[in-house]
Every structure is written in C-alpha cells, then in structure tokens.
C-alpha cells in the first residue's frame, strides 16, 4: 500500500492516516466528468434555492459574489481512487444559504442540480457541515472550466462526485431522490472511509 501512496519515499504515518482505504495520493488535480464542459455566461447565470424552504430565492452572479466569504482547506477523495491533500477553496459557506432559505423541519434531503441535467443527492445532515462550500475559487484562483467554473459544490467528506461541478440549484425535499451517478450504481452514501464506491 505504501508504495502506491508514496512511491519510493519513506512513508509518513501522519499522511497515510489521512488517506482512505484503497486510495493513492496525487499532486495533480485529475479531470473527470460526464459529458462536455458547459460554457457559462455570468451575465445570465443564476443560482436557485427551492423546495421545502420558507424563502426560495434566485441569485445572480453579482449577488452570489456579494455574500459573506469563507475559506476551507481540506483533503479530497475521488471514487476513481485518487486523493489530493491540503486543497484550498473559497466560496460561500452552505450555512449562509441554509439560513437565507429558512429550510423547513421536514426537509431531510437535498438534490444538487447542475448544468446539462446532472444531479447528485445527499441527506441534509451531510450538506450542513462546517467544511461544505459553494466554491468558486481553488488554490487562490477562479475555478477552471474543467473543475466547475463558475461554481461547484464542495462536500469533502464524501467521494468527489457528490461535489457537483457547474452547480445551478439546490432543491430541498422530504425524501431521498437518487442523483445521476447514484442511479447508475454508485453508492448513495459515498463515504470514502467506508469505501462506499458502488451499491450492492
């Protein structure tokens, strides 16, 4: 395992402890997605929050950028088995969005809607975590188109397909609705520490 993680270097136990089972470390940021990279016009772009909320709303790009900002440094893990440590992101904390929307008590689940019909789902308890962002910046620079420009969801404690690129909306529901990859056999929970890559 350590050869896979560290190559010819001496294994660092502290680093190895941060890498979930079955993963290997990368210095790069591999590009993986289904379909083509959408083009975004910030003049017409918007972001919607709706469903079981007291105050559904739609934000323009300028309105989104005017919200309070937060930085997160975190490790990320892809279902294709790469892990990248100490990544740096900036955007809007998900708690800001939840407070603006007034999520109703019966809303236990959320579906993230992205460009080209892509969706992913999770319990509200997973979304409402201190390290979850609507991120528009990676490594101090705006997101590259391949990595979700202008906006992506960042859910570090789950495999990275849950961190939907090119996100355009959050829909709050009282039931779980499978997203795109979840319908095609990916595990609904996607916990990298449990190796929840695929459903049974």
């Amino acid at each position: 395992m350590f050869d896979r993680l560290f190559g010819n270097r001496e294994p660092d136990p502290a680093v190895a402890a941060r890498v979930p089972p079955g993963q290997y470390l990368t210095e790069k940021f591999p590009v993986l997605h289904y379909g083509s990279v959408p083009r975004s016009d910030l003049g017409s772009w918007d972001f919607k929050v709706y469903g079981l909320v007291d105050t559904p709303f739609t934000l323009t790009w300028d309105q989104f950028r005017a919200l309070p900002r937060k930085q997160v440094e975190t490790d990320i893990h892809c279902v294709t088995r790469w892990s990248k440590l100490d990544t740096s992101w900036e955007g809007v904390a998900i708690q800001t969005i939840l407070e603006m929307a007034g999520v109703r008590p019966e809303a236990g689940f959320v579906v993230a809607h992205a460009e080209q019909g892509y969706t992913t789902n999770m319990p509200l308890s997973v979304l409402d975590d201190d390290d979850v962002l609507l991120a528009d910046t990676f490594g101090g620079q705006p997101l590259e188109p391949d990595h979700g420009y202008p906006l992506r969801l960042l859910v570090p404690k789950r495999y990275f397909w849950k961190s939907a690129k090119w996100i355009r909306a959050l829909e709050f529901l009282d039931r779980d609705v499978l997203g795109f990859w979840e319908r095609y056999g990916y595990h609904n929970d996607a916990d990298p520490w449990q190796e929840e890559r695929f459903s049974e």
Side-chain angles (χ1 to χ4, degrees), residues 40-49 56-69 92 97 100 134 136 149-151 167-169:
S40 297
D41 174 8
L42 296 183
S44 60
W45 182 94
D46 60 18
F47 177 75
K48 298 179 181 178
V49 175
F57 60 86
T58 301
L59 299 173
T60 66
W61 179 248
D62 288 342
Q63 289 170 331
F64 175 81
R65 288 285 297 175
L67 294 176
R69 309 281 295 171
V92 174
I97 300 299
M100 290 172 61
L134 290 169
D136 54 27
Y149 173 88
L151 190 69
I167 191 170
R168 295 295 301 272

Side-chain angles (χ1 to χ4, degrees), residues 5 11 27 55 60 79 85 95 169 175-176:
L5 288 175
E27 298 287 330
T55 310
T60 66
V79 70
L85 305 184
Q95 288 75 25
R175 67 196 186 283
D176 198 14

Side-chain angles (χ1 to χ4, degrees), residues 18-20 23-30 72-79 81-89 131 138 147 152-161 163 192-193:
R18 295 165 58 186
V19 181
Q23 298 289 110
Y24 68 90
L25 289 179
T26 183
E27 298 287 330
K28 300 176 181 179
F29 194 168
V72 168
E73 291 195 5
T74 189
D75 304 337
I76 56 176
H77 313 288
C78 182
V79 70
R81 298 186 181 273
W82 60 260
S83 290
K84 185 173 177 62
L85 305 184
D86 299 316
T87 63
S88 179
W89 304 82
D131 58 2
F138 173 76
H147 290 300
R152 77 177 298 160
L153 185 61
L154 175 69
V155 188
K157 291 186 177 70
R158 294 296 183 263
Y159 283 124
F160 218 45
W161 88 80
S163 296
W193 293 98

Side-chain angles (χ1 to χ4, degrees), residues 47-59 67 92-107 109-110 124 127 134 169-173:
F47 177 75
K48 298 179 181 178
V49 175
Y50 65 102
L52 294 175
V53 297
D54 292 331
T55 310
F57 60 86
T58 301
L59 299 173
L67 294 176
V92 174
I94 199 64
Q95 288 75 25
T96 299
I97 300 299
L98 299 179
E99 290 168 9
M100 290 172 61
V103 178
R104 296 177 183 169
E106 61 268 30
F109 300 91
V110 63
L124 180 57
L127 184 76
L134 290 169
L170 290 173
E171 179 185 10
F172 292 88
L173 301 167

